[in-house]
Amino acid sequence: IGAQRLAGLITRIETGSLETHSDSRNFFLSRNLQYAETYQKRAEPLLSNLERLYGLKSAENIRKHVATVNDGVAQHANQFGKVVEIQKVLGLNQKSGLVRLLQSSVDDLDKKIRGLGSADLSRRLAEIRHSETNVLAAGSSDAVKRVDTQLGNLQQAVTSAAFAEADKLSLGQLINSYKTDIGQ
């Protein structure tokens, strides 16, 4: 009976390990929360089965290995959970989160600039958008500083432009909104 129990637990652990691995990869590929939820549901019994295996007398000679695997699975589950939470904040798709907020603010700014017909401001915004890709890809403080400087220059160009004060005020608010969103 000990050998059968040991073999059964090992089979459940192998299956659980493959399933959780598949769930995490599918989440990273699709950003679909269903995979993250399934991962969590499958990780609990996997960890429980590892604990059971560790406690079996017939597994005495592999306890060290079981403990190592258990620690690895627990660490992965913890890190995966953190990644899922970060993805929720950033936005799992283009319809939610900080990514959508940023897109919305830049769209509003771009629309206002195009409405005023300023080629100079459009060019400056295009340069900022190019720098924005570095912020989103690397998140380095240098990239953020560059965008911040460019936004300051854009604000100065708006202030010195021959627009109505209401347009300048509106553009200033849109620039500040964009600056806040990119900073987040």
Side-chain angles (χ1 to χ4, degrees):
I1 294 181
Q4 286 178 325
R5 190 171 179 198
L6 180 63
L9 272 176
I10 289 172
T11 298
R12 286 194 296 276
I13 290 168
E14 287 174 340
T15 301
S17 179
L18 290 171
E19 289 172 341
T20 55
H21 179 72
S22 176
D23 291 332
S24 66
R25 288 184 57 106
N26 286 334
F27 173 77
F28 288 123
L29 292 172
S30 70
R31 301 293 192 248
N32 184 333
L33 273 179
Q34 182 179 357
Y35 292 113
E37 292 164 2
T38 303
Y39 176 96
Q40 292 300 331
K41 289 176 187 175
R42 290 180 177 172
E44 291 173 21
L46 173 59
L47 288 166
S48 179
N49 286 329
L50 282 164
E51 288 177 25
R52 279 192 210 114
L53 178 60
Y54 185 86
L56 285 178
K57 184 169 178 76
S58 56
E60 192 171 350
N61 58 346
I62 61 167
R63 280 198 178 120
K64 192 181 247 186
H65 299 295
V66 173
T68 300
V69 171
N70 188 48
D71 289 347
V73 170
Q75 285 177 1
H76 186 269
N78 184 34
Q79 291 172 346
F80 181 72
K82 289 177 182 177
V83 168
V84 170
E85 290 307 311
I86 289 168
Q87 288 298 320
K88 285 179 185 177
V89 170
L90 291 176
L92 294 166
N93 54 46
Q94 295 298 318
K95 297 178 184 174
S96 65
L98 294 176
V99 172
R100 178 63 198 136
L101 189 62
L102 177 62
Q103 187 61 49
S104 178
S105 66
V106 79
D107 287 347
D108 292 345
L109 181 57
D110 184 51
K111 183 178 177 182
K112 181 69 175 177
I113 289 173
R114 279 187 286 120
L116 293 171
S118 172
D120 177 52
L121 295 182
S122 291
R123 180 190 53 77
R124 289 174 186 266
L125 183 59
E127 289 172 359
I128 293 168
R129 294 304 312 273
H130 178 72
S131 296
E132 176 189 314
T133 59
N134 293 331
V135 170
L136 295 175
S140 71
S141 60
D142 289 341
V144 173
K145 287 177 186 174
R146 177 161 171 74
V147 169
D148 193 47
T149 299
Q150 289 173 313
L151 284 168
N153 293 340
L154 179 63
Q155 184 64 54
Q156 288 176 349
V158 167
T159 302
S160 63
F163 298 136
E165 286 304 313
D167 289 330
K168 288 181 181 184
L169 181 62
S170 175
L171 278 170
Q173 290 170 340
L174 290 169
I175 291 169
N176 287 335
S177 176
Y178 176 64
K179 185 176 182 177
T180 299
D181 293 341
I182 191 102
Q184 291 179 5

